[in-house]
Amino acid sequence: MITRLKSATFIGINAIPVDVEVFITTGIPGVMIVGLPDASTKEAKDRVRAAIKNSGFDYPIKKITINLAPADIRKAGGAFDLPFAIGILISARLLKCEINLDDYIIAGELSLNGRLNKVNGVIALGILAKKLNKAIIIPDENKETAEFLGVNFKSFGTLKDVCKFISGEEGQLIQAAFKENYLPDYEYFNFYVKQMELRENKNNDYPDFLDIKGHELAKRALEVAVSGHHNILMIGPPGSGKTMMAKSAMGILPDISLEESIETSNICSFSNKKFQEECILISKRPFISVHHAITTAGLIGGGSANPVPGDISLAHNGVLFIDEFSELSKKTLDSLRQPMEDKAVNLSRSRFSILFPCDFMLIAAMNPCPCGYYGDENHECRCSSAEIYRFYNKLSGPILDRFDIFIEVYSVNLEKLMDNKTGESSKEIKERIERTGKFQGKRYMGTDIRFNSSLNGSSIKKYINISDSTLSFYYNICQKLNISSRAYHRTLKVARTIADIEGKDKLDEDSILEALNYRNTKFLKA
Ligand SMILES: Nc1ncnc2c1ncn2[C@@H]1O[C@H](COP(=O)(O)OP(=O)(O)OP(=O)(O)O)[C@@H](O)[C@H]1O
Ligand SMILES: [Mg+2]
Ligand SMILES: [Zn+2]
């Protein structure tokens, strides 16, 4: 008897449906798995046998053939244990099947004692199930994720419990697994975010805006950058507070929505790195700090057999922070260009290509020259003009073009550092940023755009909302300052964000002048 079940494997961050066929005949006892299983899937044989025996069933001493289709995709992971075990039990007539197997996608790893263990990639699995209008059968440990996703599911702790359900022994209405209009659980998510916040508040390792003395301009620039998701580059001498400022951005990032969290958590679940450990979904926007010695593969993603997402994708819907930006190798710098433009990385392999989303905001910091003191009033720069030329030449053109905001950060004097006057707290600034975010959200409702920085040529015209007279005011300045066409658009977008912060519908001259100021650095001419 052949039993057909549905399961899934993963390519990139997507789950791909896999049909599992289990066929039992007389012959030399043993299990053969065909259809491109990788080593981890082949190992299932022994786990499944032990789990079946230890769940109180006889293990059929027969020839068992398991076929995985489509045959041309490599099947990886231990999530096939459960469909294999159920398939074997049904085919051997040890388990009667009272449910319509075709309604379910089944995934679960088995312990030798029959316990069901958590599987990776359950978000991708849920997304697939919703698309195919099916329910998923998963381990209890993945239950909460399924609840957040709003997908039809049944979860179990052991193989025995799954068998009870399949044979109808649980005495429940099998159709009850299917709820109509199952929606993501927003209320539960808000509760969960608060819980995580409480847990994390104890060990915040970033400074509050209150603790940053002076730097008014840089603080404002950071607020504008975070509000509109604009890439920002901070330039200044050693010890001026660039790293501190960048880290303080963590405290003003707007809350993450459930949809955004699902997207980013899904990406992170395919990373080899530990990420916001022990959580089901990430509860705040990612803030990924990258060391300048990072490899290109580590930054943008890579690996041959099964590519994993790089740091830029782990920063999806959040911030990528690159300190000592000028120290990145030329190759690594260049590898950032396309992903930043497309907000996705395309990794091509011989038999498939994978797309990892990477819609991040870049915060970069660097010294203005190799010695660090170029342009500083209090220190002399010891670099030769050739050294300075080489320094900027590496950064030149295309990569600098991708920043919307440049800001110079200088050391504040001692008097200011000792000053007890405090400015706004991170909490107050965050509230304003959230308000600005709602403003943008309303404007871009029903589109793919979330923040002003994502506007492009045609959408700028549509959404920027500027009067003819203000536009000609702007145009005249651009001509005088000889501003490039790329910079022309970037400045308009930043001006849009500034107007949004002020709650203005129309762009005015003040917003434009402030935005222009963020390109006006002596180090890099717009
Ligand atoms: N405006 C300020 N208010 C409060 N503390 C400050 C300020 N500026 C600098 N500091 C202190 O000085 C330290 C050094 O700052 P930080 O490491 O951010 O400098 P940096 O610009 O990143 O330097 P480098 O170029 O060497 O990396 C900070 O940890 C902070 O304690
Ligand atoms: Mg630093
Ligand atoms: Zn120098």
Side-chain angles (χ1 to χ4, degrees), residues 187-251:
E187 219 171 281
Y188 179 29
F189 185 67
N190 289 337
F191 170 77
Y192 166 76
V193 167
K194 288 216 178 69
Q195 294 272 303
M196 297 297 281
E197 227 171 58
L198 286 177
R199 202 194 294 178
E200 276 172 24
N201 267 349
K202 284 179 216 138
N203 44 12
N204 272 353
D205 60 346
Y206 51 85
D208 194 284
F209 268 52
L210 274 177
D211 304 325
I212 303 173
K213 309 286 179 190
H215 287 326
E216 304 307 337
L217 205 65
K219 282 187 198 166
R220 167 74 178 181
L222 211 50
E223 177 181 342
V224 174
V226 171
S227 296
H229 224 61
H230 299 288
N231 299 325
I232 177 171
L233 175 60
M234 292 186 282
I235 310 174
S240 57
K242 302 178 296 296
T243 305
M244 173 188 67
M245 292 282 316
K247 287 198 170 149
S248 73
M250 261 189 262

